[in-house]
Amino acid sequence: MRDMAVLAPGIFAWGLVTGVAMAGSGMGMTLALAMSLLVFSGSAQLATMPLIVAGAPVWVVWLTALCVNLRFVVFSVTWARYLRLLPLAQRLRLSYFAADMNFVLFLRRYPEPVPAPGQVAYLWGTVPLNWGAWQLGSLLGIFGAHLVPAHWVSDSPARSRCWASCARCSGRARPGWQRPSPGRRRWPPSRCR
C-alpha cells in the first residue's frame, strides 16, 4: 500500500477526468456509474463512451474496448508465470483489479518470473488504493459534473449567446432585462436555456 500511495493522487486525477468526461458526454448518470464500477479501465471508458452515446452497435463498442485493452494480454501472460498455481476463482478476482500501476509495481518488486511467497499478498495490497483512488475520482467526477448547470459547461451556440448577452451570465445588464423579484428566483433565466 505504501508503494501505491505514491501513485494514488495521479490515479485519482485520471478517474476524476474520466468521470467528468462520462457525465459531460450526455451519458446518463446510471450508465456512467455502472460503467465506472464495472469497467475498471479508464482508456476503455473514454474510447467507448462516444460510441455508446452515439448508439453504435454493441459489437463495435466491445471490439473497441478489446483493442484499447490489448495490453492486458501482455500483463496476463507475464502474471501467469507468477500466479499460475492459484485457483481459477482467485485469478479471476485478481484479473478485475489488474491495472497498469499494480502491474508495474509488482514487476519492480518481483523481477524474477517465478512464484514466491508474498506475491499474492503484495498484489492484493496494491488493490485498495489503486481501485479506491480510481473509483473515488471517477464518482466525484460523475456526481460533480451532474451538479453543475448544463449551460455552464455546454459548448452550444445557445450557451455562447447566453454568456454574451445574459445579465446573470455575463454580469452586465442587458436592455429590457429585469432582475426577478426576491420571491421568484429562477436559475438559469428562461432566455439562457
Side-chain angles (χ1 to χ4, degrees):
M1 287 183 80
R2 278 193 307 267
D3 292 348
M4 186 59 76
V6 176
L7 304 171
I11 295 166
F12 171 83
W14 178 229
L16 183 68
V17 168
T18 304
V20 169
M22 282 194 297
S25 71
M27 183 181 287
M29 185 180 282
T30 304
L31 183 57
L33 290 172
M35 192 170 197
S36 177
L37 294 169
L38 297 175
V39 182
F40 183 44
S41 172
S43 53
Q45 290 177 14
L46 289 173
T48 59
M49 175 183 42
L51 299 172
I52 293 169
V53 171
V58 172
W59 70 268
V60 172
V61 174
W62 281 93
L63 188 61
T64 302
L66 176 71
C67 290
V68 167
N69 285 326
L70 280 175
R71 68 188 184 282
F72 285 102
V73 173
V74 175
F75 294 0
S76 296
V77 168
T78 304
W79 260 325
R81 293 183 281 176
Y82 295 91
L83 307 173
R84 65 181 173 266
L85 301 177
L86 294 178
L88 178 62
Q90 190 172 7
R91 283 182 284 153
L92 289 174
R93 279 192 304 274
L94 280 169
S95 70
Y96 168 76
F97 294 105
D100 302 280
M101 292 300 106
N102 51 7
F103 178 73
V104 169
L105 290 175
F106 185 86
L107 286 185
R108 188 174 76 182
R109 177 76 178 253
Y110 300 101
E112 295 300 318
V114 292
Q119 290 176 340
V120 175
Y122 183 82
L123 190 52
W124 277 117
T126 63
V127 165
L129 279 176
N130 188 34
W131 187 85
W134 171 265
Q135 293 301 339
L136 180 63
S138 183
L139 296 176
L140 282 175
I142 292 167
F143 284 114
H146 276 91
L147 294 175
V148 174
H151 78 282
W152 286 9
V153 293
S154 171
D155 287 331
S156 70
R159 180 207 147 238
S160 300
R161 285 191 302 275
C162 172
W163 281 96
S165 62
C166 174
R168 282 209 175 167
C169 295
S170 66
R172 60 185 162 80
R174 185 175 130 200
W177 185 80
Q178 295 178 354
R179 183 173 301 279
S181 64
R184 187 178 158 251
R185 296 200 182 271
R186 289 186 58 189
W187 184 255
S190 60
R191 65 174 126 285
C192 289
R193 293 183 188 167

